[in-house]
Amino acid sequence: MSGAEEGTHPTEPYPRDLGSEHPTVPLPPPAGGATASGAELPPRPPLPSAPVAVPPPRRRARWPWALGIVVVVLAALVVGGEFVARAVVAQQIRSQVITALKLPADQQMDVNVGGIVLPQLVAGRLDDVRLTAKSVAIGPITSAVAVDATGVPIRGGELGSARGTFRITADQLENAIAAAAGSAPIDSVTLDGKDVKATGSVKLFGATVPLALALTPGAEGGDLTFTPTSATVGAMRLDASDTSSPFAGALKPLFATQKLCIADRLPAGVHLSGLRVDGEALVATFSADSAITTDPKLLENGTCQGQ
């Protein structure tokens, strides 16, 4: 009796011969890469190596961008502050000049501060200030005025310097010359080279004859001066130095220097330095005393001689 019949563990039968239909897996080729038949085999891929740790990507530093933004903001604040400071300073200068010179409150006046204002405010002194006005009344004359000042104190102290000009337009010359000519009637005034030409009439030996004077302008103290250099009476021309003419004695008063005082219309600290013909205008130059910003008396109007 077999084991199966006796209830024991039966054994599997020995496998039968399967023939050549189920070949066995060939062994790996030799290290040289050639098969038994001599054919070359492709190389085997390398075995995977151990994983390599890859560092995380570095984040780009952002502080240069932040610094650039801060610089731009600061620059904008400085530029804005400069515009505000320039406007405030110009307004303050205009107000103080109008008050000091007793000009009308609505006086037209432009103020230009040179350079960057903020550092000058810190230093307490403005390097360069230019004031211009198209029409300012100075005695019988209305003229355009321009002043260039340097070292203008902000918190007290003396002025560095101040020089300026006022231009008498052609239509104002007649008023000035007529006021200076006294008894000699002047009908018109023109400019000729460096001289002022005044025409009118004069009575000579009971007759009224045409008169033309060549006047050299100048300044003396607080006066505008007009000195005749030649006179033409009728058809006769005389120079100031001509004493041989029989009419020299009668015409002598015409050669007297005529003066027009404007010192009483200017601050005592402002001094006339010259008067000249420049194109189509008569230009007076003046300067200011450095103590005009510290001595209130120099802001008061001056006086004319004989007053």
Side-chain angles (χ1 to χ4, degrees), residues 39-301:
E40 292 290 336
L41 295 176
R44 290 182 296 172
L47 296 176
S49 59
V52 179
V54 179
R58 297 180 60 185
R59 300 181 64 182
R60 182 176 297 177
R62 294 184 178 181
W63 67 267
W65 294 97
L67 179 60
I69 293 174
V70 171
V71 170
V72 171
V73 171
L74 290 177
L77 291 175
V78 170
V79 172
E82 173 68 16
F83 278 111
V84 172
R86 184 175 296 276
V88 171
V89 169
Q91 180 60 34
Q92 288 296 319
I93 292 176
R94 177 186 178 278
S95 177
Q96 292 182 15
V97 169
I98 287 177
T99 301
L101 299 182
K102 300 179 178 63
L103 297 174
D106 59 350
Q107 173 68 55
Q108 176 273 330
M109 182 178 297
D110 295 328
V111 180
N112 181 37
V113 181
I116 302 177
V117 174
L118 290 177
Q120 299 179 59
L121 292 179
V122 174
R125 189 171 289 269
L126 301 176
D127 297 333
D128 183 17
V129 177
R130 181 172 178 80
L131 296 88
T132 56
K134 295 181 179 179
S135 179
V136 177
I138 304 175
I141 302 169
T142 299
S143 66
V145 178
V147 181
D148 291 302
T150 61
V152 179
I154 298 175
R155 294 182 287 272
E158 291 192 350
L159 178 69
S161 67
R163 302 180 187 280
T165 61
F166 59 84
R167 300 176 64 88
I168 306 172
T169 58
D171 59 344
Q172 293 292 322
L173 286 178
E174 291 184 11
N175 295 334
I177 298 298
S183 59
I186 301 298
D187 297 329
S188 65
V189 173
T190 58
L191 301 178
D192 183 12
K194 296 182 180 180
D195 293 334
V196 176
K197 297 293 185 180
T199 59
S201 60
V202 63
K203 286 188 176 182
L204 185 62
F205 303 115
T208 300
V209 294
L211 170 67
L213 292 174
L215 307 169
T216 298
E220 181 181 339
D223 298 335
L224 301 179
T225 62
F226 300 90
T227 303
T229 56
S230 66
T232 301
V233 181
M236 181 176 56
R237 183 180 185 279
L238 298 174
D239 291 333
S241 59
D242 188 356
T243 59
S244 60
S245 172
F247 302 102
L251 297 177
K252 184 177 180 180
L254 294 177
F255 290 101
T257 297
Q258 304 295 329
K259 297 182 179 180
L260 175 61
C261 180
I262 61 172
D264 58 345
R265 307 301 177 94
L266 296 175
V270 173
H271 312 288
L272 289 173
S273 55
L275 184 66
R276 71 182 190 279
V277 176
D278 181 15
E280 297 181 354
L282 197 64
V283 177
T285 57
F286 61 88
S287 61
D289 197 309
S290 295
I292 196 170
T293 54
T294 58
D295 188 353
K297 294 181 179 180
L298 294 179
L299 291 173
E300 298 295 328
N301 286 352

